């Protein structure tokens, strides 16, 4: 009798199956070299020195705050249970549970960052009345709570506040249980039974975070890489879901996908591979950590084959928990273009780091936004006080991306916009004020016809009407949009306060748009006599400021401006192409139909459907009967901004095309 060992003795041993994370095979199973390990150590050392890790004291304070909030919501539910006539046993068993999600749950939060938290309560405790009124009043009476701001009509309803100085974003979900079990598994699909869509969106923040941690091969490597990429995105001006870039969950999903493709890689390798892969990714092929779970409970899932609206998404990044959604539907052609350029910048720097020609600090050089364009739109936001500004700014910010869409639509994509996610404050103004800026440039390679102009007055008017939809407008809430050239930028946008020495002298015919609710028409600027006179060089520019700007302008060979870096969508980087990446893209193409990148319209539905990050600040449940008077400081500030814009604004009447020059 021949043994089984004898039968197979001459055959080679069978290789152990490779664990597959995600929807495709890994690109590489290679582990780190000694040089990779050293670069990872250098990276972690840099992140520590950059102050991205909180102290033990702050970590303890966060845990203490979460414990106090847990106690508050439990007492709140018990109080409501008693008031509604339930038995003493029900009152004793009644509870609410606090779950965390976002950066805190993923373990990548830093000093001063907020805590995203979800309160899960029983079926008889409602969001509309019990959470936003009863619990709101309980929190308002506590001295530890400050800056309490309920936002009940957001895409994901949220209550924002600070508890002992720790920022909290608190969501609520009422599940179909009379008593919330203490060991509730929020990842189980049963928590979605008999709940509405706002509740699903609230629950899915936690469910997505849990799935991400389950779907990456090495959690610690994932955390270090994500912490690095989030810091990089903020330094390069592409971290903002509301503006049309990517927010925390989007970056987490992208990093998690790279961890799946390189399961044995060290953090330094993962950062490098991140840029290598996503400079070549053929959007709109989706990024997915797992296969999309088909419709099981009747909720809509992302599927461009069935949902025409999903075909318009430019950069789909799909959440891994049912119902699977595109977490990055705010991305537009313009913001995708900017991000692709920044990915190319990151890839170039990482290649130098791997060749020991650069250090990690080079990757995190801040993006020189105010040196990268010749022309900008300036959006000034005013309010009577800080509380009004907080809600008014949130509303305007959540709709700024619509202005980008409108301008590119109305100029047929020939005028490209680069919205910058950071707001700037003029400390010299007498009351609440901030400003956003948007870079403008001709589309590269666009043939310019003589006398051609860009007239965006209609785009601005449409933007004004969308802003005027704000339900909680109060006197003092104003918005101004004007065109400024680089030499006209206000001093407060520069860290060192560097500014032109004198104002430009403009003619009185140049208008500025005042978009306050009670004055929605364009007005003529003040007389040119108010403008400061200045000496000009032969080209008509301020000679001193011209010299300053030339000294500040980056070298063309080293500049990272969008006008100089050209990384077209779908282009490849020499030496980075892999058959595995092509296979992934082909796999993704099976899961989505081809879609057009063109923007041909901007519907009212688009304006109303905002992201969590944007819409959550979009309204205020404060006093909706505003007083008829405004403070003197508000009047002074309004007058000051009007004068500034009367001097600066020339985009709406004279056209932009002749001003859209490349950098000197």
């Amino acid at each position: 009798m021949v043994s089984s060992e004898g039968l197979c003795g001459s055959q080679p041993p069978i290789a152990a199956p490779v664990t597959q994370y995600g929807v495709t095979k890994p690109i590489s199973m290679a582990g780190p070299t000694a040089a990779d390990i050293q670069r990872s150590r250098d990276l972690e050392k840099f992140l520590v020195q950059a102050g991205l890790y909180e102290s033990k004291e702050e970590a303890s304070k966060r845990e203490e705050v979460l414990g106090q909030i847990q106690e508050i919501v439990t007492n709140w539910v018990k109080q409501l249970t008693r008031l509604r006539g339930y038995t003493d046993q029900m009152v004793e068993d009644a509870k609410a549970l606090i779950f965390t999600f976002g950066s805190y749950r993923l373990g990548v939060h830093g000093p001063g960052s907020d805590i995203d938290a979800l309160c899960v309560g029983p079926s008889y405790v409602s969001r509309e009345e019990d959470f936003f009124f009863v619990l709101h009043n309980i929190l308002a009476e506590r001295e530890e709570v400050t800056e309490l701001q309920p936002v009940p009509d957001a895409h994901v309803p949220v209550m924002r506040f600070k508890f002992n100085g720790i920022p909290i974003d608190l969501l609520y979900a009422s599940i179909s249980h009379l008593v919330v079990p203490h060991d509730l598994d929020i990842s189980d699909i049963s928590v979605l039974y008999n709940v509405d869509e706002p509740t699903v969106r609230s629950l899915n923040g936690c469910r997505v975070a849990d799935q991400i941690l389950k779907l990456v091969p090495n959690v610690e490597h994932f955390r270090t890489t994500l912490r690095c990429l989030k810091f990089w995105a903020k330094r390069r001006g592409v971290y903002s879901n509301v503006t049309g870039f990517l927010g925390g969950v989007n970056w987490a999903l992208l990093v998690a996908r790279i961890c799946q493709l390189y399961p044995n890689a060290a953090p330094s390798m993962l950062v490098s591979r991140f840029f290598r892969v996503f400079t070549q990714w053929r959007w709109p092929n989706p990024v997915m950590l797992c296969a999309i779970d088909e419709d099981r409970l009747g909720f809509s899932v992302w599927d461009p084959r069935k949902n025409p609206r999903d075909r318009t998404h430019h950069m789909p990044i799909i959440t891994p928990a049912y119902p699977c959604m595109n977490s990055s539907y705010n991305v537009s052609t313009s913001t995708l273009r900017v991000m692709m350029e920044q990915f190319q910048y990151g890839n170039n720097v990482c290649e130098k780091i791997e060749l020991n020609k650069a250090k990690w600090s080079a990757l995190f050089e801040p993006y020189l936004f105010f040196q990268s364009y010749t022309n900008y739109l300036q959006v000034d936001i005013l309010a009577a006080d800080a509380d009004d500004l907080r809600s008014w700014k949130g509303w305007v910010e959540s709709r700024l991306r619509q202005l980008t869409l409108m301008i590119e639509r109305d100029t047929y994509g020939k005028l490209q916009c680069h919205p910058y996610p950071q707001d700037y404050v003029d400390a010299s103004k007498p009351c609440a004020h901030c400003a956003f800026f948007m870079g403008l440039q001709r589309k590269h390679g666009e043939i310019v016809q003589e006398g051609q102009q860009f007239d965006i007055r209609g785009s601005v008017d449409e933007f004004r009407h969308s802003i005027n939809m704000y339900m909680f407008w109060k006197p003092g809430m104003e918005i101004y949009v004007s065109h400024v050239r680089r030499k006209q930028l206000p001093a407060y946008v520069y860290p060192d306060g560097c500014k032109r020495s004198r104002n430009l002298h403009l003619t009185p015919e140049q208008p500025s748009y005042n978009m306050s609710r009670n004055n929605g028409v364009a007005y003529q600027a003040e007389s040119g006599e108010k403008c400061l006179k200045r000496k000009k060089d032969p080209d008509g520019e301020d000679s001193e400021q011209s010299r300053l700007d030339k000294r500040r302008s980056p070298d063309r060979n080293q500049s990272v401006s969008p006008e100089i870096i050209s990384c077209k969508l779908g282009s490849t980087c020499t030496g980075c192409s892999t058959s595995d990446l092509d296979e992934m893209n082909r796999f993704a193409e099976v899961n989505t139909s081809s879609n057009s990148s063109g923007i041909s319209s901007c519907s009212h539905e688009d304006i109303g459907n905002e992201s969590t990050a944007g819409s959550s600040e979009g309204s205020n449940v404060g006093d909706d009967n505003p007083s008829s008077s405004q403070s003197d400081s508000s009047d002074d500030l309004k007058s000051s901004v009007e004068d500034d814009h009367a001097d600066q604004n020339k985009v709406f009447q004279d056209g932009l095309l002749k001003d859209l020059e490349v950098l000197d």
Side-chain angles (χ1 to χ4, degrees), residues 182-221:
H182 70 277
D183 57 350
L184 176 68
D185 181 6
I186 203 167
S187 296
D188 195 297
I189 196 171
S190 64
V191 299
L192 303 181
Y193 291 163
N194 301 318
V195 298
D196 58 14
E197 292 207 6
T199 300
V200 171
R201 291 193 289 268
S202 300
L203 288 165
N204 262 15
C206 298
R207 289 163 47 78
V208 166
D210 287 348
Q211 282 296 104
I212 290 174
L213 294 176
K214 291 177 182 177
L215 291 170
V216 295
N218 187 309
V219 172
E220 288 307 314
H221 288 177

Side-chain angles (χ1 to χ4, degrees), residues 259-558:
C259 291
Q260 292 180 336
L261 296 173
Y262 300 91
N264 298 321
S268 65
M269 301 168 64
L270 292 170
V271 171
S272 176
R273 302 311 184 270
F274 178 94
F275 293 116
R276 183 179 299 181
V277 168
F278 287 118
T279 51
Q280 301 176 64
W281 195 270
R282 294 200 293 269
W283 304 105
N285 291 332
V287 171
M288 300 183 294
L289 300 186
C290 58
I292 293 178
D293 198 352
E294 294 299 327
D295 188 1
R296 294 165 64 182
L297 297 179
F299 295 108
S300 176
V301 298
W302 187 84
D303 189 345
R305 297 168 300 181
K306 298 179 182 178
N307 308 322
R309 188 179 181 84
D310 293 343
R311 298 172 200 159
T312 67
H313 295 168
H314 301 286
M315 192 182 189
I317 303 172
I318 310 305
T319 56
Y322 176 83
C324 301
M325 307 174 189
N326 176 22
S327 64
S328 54
Y329 64 85
N330 273 357
V331 173
S332 66
T333 53
S334 52
T335 53
L336 177 58
R337 170 182 57 85
V338 172
M339 285 188 283
M340 291 298 290
E341 290 162 356
Q342 293 305 319
F343 288 162
Q344 186 63 59
Y345 167 82
N347 189 49
N348 293 340
V349 174
C350 283
E351 287 178 353
K352 293 179 181 178
I353 292 174
E354 290 184 335
L355 295 173
N356 295 321
K357 294 182 179 180
K359 296 184 178 180
W360 284 111
S361 57
L363 183 65
F364 302 97
E365 286 292 327
Y367 176 60
L368 303 177
F369 176 71
F370 292 110
Q371 296 180 21
S372 299
Y373 294 90
T374 304
N375 295 270
Y376 298 84
L377 281 185
Q378 178 175 337
V379 181
D380 281 278
I381 304 168
L382 290 69
D385 55 46
D387 289 337
D388 285 355
L389 181 65
R390 188 180 302 113
S391 57
W392 180 232
K393 170 193 165 187
W395 170 261
V396 175
E397 185 180 11
S398 70
R399 276 138 185 84
L400 278 177
R401 69 185 186 93
Q402 298 298 333
L403 178 58
T404 301
L405 296 178
M406 294 167 188
I407 290 174
E408 296 198 341
R409 176 200 66 194
D410 295 342
T411 61
Y412 302 98
K414 296 179 180 180
L415 180 60
Q416 294 180 329
C417 305
H418 178 176
Y420 201 62
Q422 181 177 343
D423 63 304
Y424 294 85
V425 178
D426 186 354
S428 67
K429 299 298 183 185
C431 72
H433 161 268
C434 68
F436 288 93
F437 293 84
M438 182 185 298
L440 301 172
Q441 70 177 10
R442 275 198 316 266
K443 184 178 180 181
H444 291 297
E446 187 66 31
I447 299 176
V448 181
Q449 299 178 2
E450 185 176 356
Q452 183 181 4
Q453 295 182 336
F454 291 128
D455 185 351
I456 59 173
R457 285 175 292 187
S459 309
V460 173
D461 281 339
E462 187 176 349
F463 176 65
R464 177 195 66 200
H465 291 310
S466 72
I467 294 299
N468 286 345
M469 294 166 58
Y470 188 46
M471 294 175 57
F472 303 98
W473 181 88
K474 295 181 181 180
M477 293 180 175
E478 310 276 356
I479 179 173
Y480 298 85
V481 179
S482 64
H483 167 230
V484 294
R485 301 195 67 183
R486 190 173 61 215
K487 296 176 176 61
Q488 300 169 276
L489 288 167
Y492 58 80
V493 304
Y494 298 108
D496 57 357
C498 179
K499 188 188 177 185
R500 64 191 184 280
S501 57
R502 302 172 186 85
N503 290 331
L504 294 178
H505 180 77
L506 299 178
T507 62
E509 289 78 22
Q510 295 162 351
S512 177
Y513 273 89
N514 174 0
M515 283 174 250
S516 66
R517 192 178 182 89
N518 56 351
N519 184 11
V521 298
Y523 63 91
Q524 293 300 105
E526 297 290 343
S527 170
E529 296 174 357
K530 289 189 176 181
C531 300
L532 296 177
K533 295 183 179 180
R534 58 181 177 80
K535 295 180 181 180
K536 296 183 179 179
D537 60 17
D539 295 328
E541 296 182 343
D542 180 351
S543 57
E544 179 181 352
Q545 182 61 28
S546 179
R547 290 193 297 271
L548 286 173
D549 277 332
K550 287 180 180 179
R551 285 200 297 269
R552 282 201 305 267
S553 296
D555 182 87
R556 291 183 68 87
N557 295 325
Q558 298 179 359

